Amino acid sequence: MAKRGDKRESQETGKQSQGLDERRTSERDRRVSEQKIRIILKGSPIPAFVIGTDHRIIFWNKALEELSGIKANDVMGTDRYWMAFYKEERPCMADLVVDNRLDELHDWYEGMYTKSKLIDDAYEATDFFPALGTNGKWLRFTAAALKDSDGNLVGVIETLEDETERKLAQDALLESEQKLKSTLEGFSIPSFVIGEDHRIMYWNRALEELSGIKGNDVIGTKKQWTAFYEKERPCMADLLVDNYLEDLPAWYGDNYTKSTLIDDAYEATDFFPDLGSSGKWLRFTAAILRDSKGKLVGAVETLEDVTDRKIAEEALRENEQRLKAILEGSPIPTFVIDTDHRIIYWNKALEEMSGIIAEEVIETDQHWRAFYDERRPCMADLLVDRRLDEIPIWYESKYTKSKLIEDAYEATDFFPDLGTNGKWLRFTAAALRDSRGFLIGAVETLEDITDRKLAEEALRNSEMRYRRLSITDALTKLYNSRRFYNQLRSEIDRANRYSHPLSLLLLDIDNFKHYNDTYGHLEGDTVLIRLGEVIRRCLRKTDSAYRFGGEEFTAILPETHGDAATTLAERIRQEFENEVFRPNKKEKPHKTVSIGVAEYKSGEDLTTFLKRVDANMYVSKKEGKNQIHFE
């Protein structure tokens, strides 16, 4: 045993020694690796510095000394590397990476930085540093996390690349491209370009064809107006070059708008009677041209022949007018909205139904007012916005997809704010599309079906009343024997299926014939009614009571064993015995009831079950009445 223990101890000592050797080897390898990195960085032509997790400089290479003018010995071991790039102290990108303050990159380098696609845990940016060199420098810098073999952060390296010459070349190229763009922009459609002196610099072939004026005849002149007007007047490009924007209304009235796509640009559509044989409709856009420094160098004006479109629009307007006339004369309340949810049509029939005249709502989005007391979407709104998934939210089970019209939905609902007592409406909303299939709006028609709904409701109520009468005893208001047999069959099926208990009570009023003969049928009816009330009071919600026939009553007790049923029967017996009757002014008789109780036996049929409870009730009668029998 001792030898075995010595062997185990020797193994443990060997493992510890091996672990120590591995750590020494790892430390030696790390130092060798760091030495190699230092040698590589020192000789690298790319300016670089390395900081530790405490933000102190570990390495500052020769290339960075030359770029910054700061010697390594002056900053090694300090956190003053910011001095190389900024006039005031602020974090470099390396600081943010070391502290994992990556959410602050946006604050310090907004619009300039990106995550490196090549290196994990690295970020890149390009910025101008005015304090570097004589006129400042453009630097592209990358900060990357440094981690040991265990993945622990040990510092950050930041490399810097002087991109000043490339940026200057880029700027020169951009300026050249800007000039080229200034002259070639809009080349595929009729265009001309003027300089800041209003002289034509460019007049393309498309404009030659449109105007009948050759470029050579007008290049270098200020005769751009001759292509469009009989008398000399400024074109839109002239007004923009002179910054006479306040004069635009005087020359173009309400026909112009500020471009939503191009800065310093305006658009207009107008008819030019001198173009072509019958004149032309032109849509023209004038835009300021600037060089790379933002200085105004001229303006470009492009012109699009929209004559065919204007003719088509006019035809469309005529069609719309015809449609409006049809809708106005329709007896069906109707409104139409466009894709902005603004009302295009609101016909007379809808005016009468809603009490809102068209003038109040045309070109507004107030159609909801006709139907609801607070703003919410109509079905037409949901179709215009293609929010079909919201139809169930607003209309629940009241809607269906139309079987007759594509992109249409129908619903029926009650609107309490319409008319004196509200109205039932059947409404259909359908998407409207142009000849190319593009959505242009939605139409919603409304049919007043209040009378029909009231008739349906009256019929439904009548049917329910008839059904209720068909299963209810008119005198006691308990269910009748017809209902009893249907319910008992269902409960027997359930008891057999789930092996749940089921009990049945059969009650018979003692000496009822004698009471009836003595005091009359009306007083006898009172006894029957009172027993029905007692039974109803004593039963649970899951139980049900029935007038079985004459003075006999039954109660079905689901989920109830015979003992519990007997307890409930005793409660009924006692409460009924305590009831006081007043058949005349002198007498105050009490009545009693005999009750049979039976618990259902699995597999037993309905007839056998009934015979058992009936037999138990007759035992109660035979043994003296006013008692309960269960076996």
Side-chain angles (χ1 to χ4, degrees):
M1 293 295 289
K3 287 182 179 180
R4 192 175 300 168
D6 292 342
K7 184 177 180 181
R8 188 183 297 113
E9 184 176 345
S10 174
Q11 288 175 345
E12 291 294 325
T13 303
K15 287 180 181 178
Q16 292 175 359
S17 175
Q18 181 181 356
L20 183 60
D21 290 340
E22 288 175 355
R23 285 196 295 274
R24 286 172 178 168
T25 302
S26 176
E27 183 65 20
R28 183 172 62 253
D29 291 343
R30 184 182 65 79
R31 283 197 297 271
V32 170
S33 177
E34 285 181 355
Q35 188 62 29
K36 288 179 179 178
I37 291 172
R38 285 176 178 274
I39 292 170
I40 292 169
L41 289 177
K42 188 173 182 180
S44 172
I46 299 174
F49 67 91
V50 179
I51 63 171
T53 54
D54 59 356
H55 297 268
R56 297 191 177 277
I57 300 171
I58 299 172
F59 189 78
W60 188 275
N61 73 353
K62 288 281 187 184
L64 185 51
E65 284 183 344
E66 292 182 13
L67 175 69
S68 65
I70 299 173
K71 297 294 184 182
N73 290 338
D74 296 337
V75 289
M76 288 291 288
T78 75
D79 60 355
R80 293 182 294 164
Y81 38 91
W82 59 268
M83 295 169 55
F85 316 108
Y86 309 106
K87 290 183 179 180
E88 297 177 355
E89 186 173 356
R90 55 153 283 182
C92 294
M93 186 177 279
D95 295 296
L96 302 178
V97 176
V98 157
D99 289 340
N100 198 30
R101 290 151 54 196
L102 304 180
D103 55 333
E104 292 185 29
L105 286 168
H106 177 78
D107 299 332
W108 293 103
Y109 301 99
E110 182 180 0
M112 296 182 284
Y113 81 98
T114 58
K115 195 173 189 305
S116 175
K117 297 178 181 178
L118 303 176
I119 310 168
D120 290 337
D121 299 327
Y123 291 83
E124 304 172 351
T126 300
D127 200 2
F128 182 70
F129 296 83
L132 285 176
T134 308
N135 299 312
K137 289 184 180 292
W138 283 93
L139 297 183
R140 181 174 179 273
F141 46 101
T142 303
L146 299 175
K147 297 185 178 182
D148 61 18
S149 58
D150 294 328
N152 298 315
L153 184 73
V154 296
V156 172
I157 179 172
E158 188 163 332
T159 59
L160 306 105
E161 183 180 357
D162 186 351
E163 292 200 333
T164 307
E165 291 183 2
R166 188 173 70 85
K167 285 291 289 185
L168 291 174
Q170 260 185 356
D171 288 346
L173 177 61
L174 283 173
E175 190 164 352
S176 173
E177 288 177 347
Q178 186 66 30
K179 288 179 180 178
L180 179 63
K181 185 179 179 181
S182 297
T183 54
L184 297 180
E185 185 134 32
F187 183 77
S188 60
I189 60 176
S191 313
F192 67 89
V193 178
I194 61 172
E196 56 184 328
D197 60 355
H198 297 271
R199 295 187 181 279
I200 300 169
M201 299 168 58
Y202 183 77
W203 188 276
N204 73 354
R205 287 187 179 275
L207 185 52
E208 286 182 344
E209 293 182 12
L210 176 68
S211 64
I213 298 174
K214 296 293 183 182
N216 291 339
D217 297 335
V218 288
I219 295 289
T221 75
K222 300 180 182 180
K223 295 182 179 180
Q224 52 269 23
W225 61 269
T226 59
F228 315 107
Y229 307 106
E230 284 186 337
K231 297 180 180 179
E232 184 173 359
R233 54 154 285 182
C235 295
M236 187 175 278
D238 295 300
L239 298 176
L240 266 60
V241 161
D242 288 337
N243 198 30
Y244 288 169
L245 303 182
E246 67 276 8
D247 289 350
L248 285 169
W251 292 106
Y252 296 100
D254 296 329
N255 296 330
Y256 81 97
T257 59
K258 195 174 189 307
S259 173
T260 57
L261 302 176
I262 310 170
D263 291 337
D264 298 330
Y266 289 81
E267 303 171 350
T269 300
D270 206 355
F271 183 70
F272 294 84
D274 298 321
L275 285 175
S277 56
S278 305
K280 288 184 180 295
W281 282 94
L282 298 184
R283 181 178 179 273
F284 46 100
T285 302
I288 292 291
L289 299 176
R290 301 182 185 277
D291 62 17
S292 59
K293 297 178 181 177
K295 182 178 179 295
L296 186 143
V297 295
V300 59
E301 189 162 331
T302 59
L303 305 108
E304 180 185 0
D305 185 351
V306 294
T307 306
D308 292 342
R309 191 179 75 189
K310 289 293 286 187
I311 292 172
E313 285 175 354
E314 187 61 32
L316 177 61
R317 266 194 298 274
E318 290 180 7
N319 286 336
E320 287 178 344
Q321 193 61 37
R322 281 195 293 270
L323 176 61
K324 184 177 180 181
I326 293 169
L327 290 176
E328 281 297 316
S330 171
I332 299 173
T334 306
F335 69 88
V336 180
I337 60 172
D338 61 17
T339 53
D340 294 326
H341 301 270
R342 298 195 173 275
I343 300 167
I344 302 172
Y345 299 117
W346 187 274
N347 73 353
K348 290 282 186 185
L350 186 50
E351 286 184 340
E352 291 183 14
M353 172 188 281
S354 65
I356 299 173
I357 61 173
E359 291 178 1
E360 291 182 18
V361 289
I362 290 293
E363 296 186 359
T364 76
D365 59 355
Q366 301 291 305
H367 39 286
W368 60 270
R369 287 173 43 205
F371 316 107
Y372 308 105
D373 56 3
E374 57 185 35
R375 180 183 284 274
R376 57 153 282 180
C378 295
M379 188 174 279
D381 295 299
L382 300 178
L383 266 59
V384 160
D385 288 339
R386 297 180 177 87
R387 290 152 52 195
L388 304 183
D389 56 324
E390 292 187 28
I391 292 178
I393 297 173
W394 292 105
Y395 296 99
E396 297 173 344
S397 58
K398 305 169 188 173
Y399 80 98
T400 58
K401 196 173 190 307
S402 175
K403 297 177 182 178
L404 302 175
I405 311 168
E406 289 187 16
D407 297 332
Y409 289 81
E410 303 172 350
T412 299
D413 204 356
F414 182 70
F415 296 84
D417 298 320
L418 283 176
T420 308
N421 300 311
K423 288 182 181 294
W424 281 95
L425 298 183
R426 180 178 179 273
F427 46 101
T428 302
L432 297 177
R433 300 183 182 277
D434 62 17
S435 58
R436 295 170 295 174
F438 294 125
L439 185 74
I440 58 173
V443 58
E444 189 162 330
T445 59
L446 306 106
E447 180 185 359
D448 184 351
I449 58 170
T450 307
D451 291 342
R452 190 179 77 192
K453 289 293 286 187
L454 291 176
E456 289 174 354
E457 188 67 25
L459 178 61
R460 211 166 20 248
N461 290 339
S462 176
E463 289 174 347
M464 288 177 62
R465 190 162 52 251
Y466 173 76
R467 184 174 179 275
R468 197 160 49 244
L469 290 172
S470 71
I471 62 173
T472 305
D473 176 59
L475 181 63
T476 63
K477 307 305 181 201
L478 298 180
Y479 292 123
N480 60 20
S481 58
R482 177 183 177 186
R483 170 75 174 198
F484 166 74
Y485 282 107
N486 290 334
Q487 188 65 27
L488 186 57
R489 286 190 191 93
S490 297
E491 294 297 342
I492 287 174
D493 288 344
R494 197 162 69 90
N496 283 322
R497 188 180 303 115
Y498 302 111
S499 300
H500 287 185
L502 170 65
S503 292
L504 186 62
L505 307 183
L506 181 59
L507 306 90
D508 188 272
I509 301 172
D510 298 327
N511 305 315
F512 181 72
K513 184 178 184 307
H514 177 265
Y515 189 93
N516 221 17
D517 293 342
T518 303
Y519 301 112
H521 291 291
L522 289 178
E523 293 302 325
D525 288 348
T526 300
V527 173
L528 295 172
I529 292 168
R530 197 81 64 84
L531 178 56
E533 292 172 350
V534 170
I535 294 172
R536 194 182 291 110
R537 270 202 315 268
C538 294
L539 294 186
R540 305 162 301 181
K541 289 183 178 180
T542 54
D543 305 329
S544 53
Y546 308 82
R547 186 181 177 192
F548 194 53
E551 65 270 28
E552 287 187 331
F553 293 75
T554 63
I556 300 174
L557 312 179
E559 306 292 336
T560 307
H561 289 287
D563 293 339
T566 301
T567 301
L568 191 148
E570 177 60 23
R571 182 180 170 193
I572 293 172
R573 188 197 67 75
Q574 288 180 6
E575 285 206 18
F576 185 62
E577 186 179 16
N578 292 333
E579 290 286 315
V580 178
F581 297 92
R582 298 178 184 272
N584 54 49
K585 293 181 179 181
K586 295 180 180 180
E587 297 181 81
K588 296 180 181 179
H590 292 264
K591 291 300 296 173
T592 60
V593 62
S594 297
I595 306 175
V597 179
E599 181 177 348
Y600 180 73
K601 295 178 181 179
S602 180
E604 188 176 31
D605 62 28
L606 183 147
T607 303
T608 304
F609 189 24
L610 275 177
K611 284 182 178 179
R612 284 200 302 111
V613 74
D614 186 56
N616 288 342
M617 188 271 290
Y618 275 106
V619 170
S620 297
K621 290 278 189 185
K622 187 176 179 181
E623 293 184 353
K625 303 178 182 179
N626 190 25
Q627 58 185 274
I628 299 161
H629 184 77
F630 165 61
E631 65 176 25

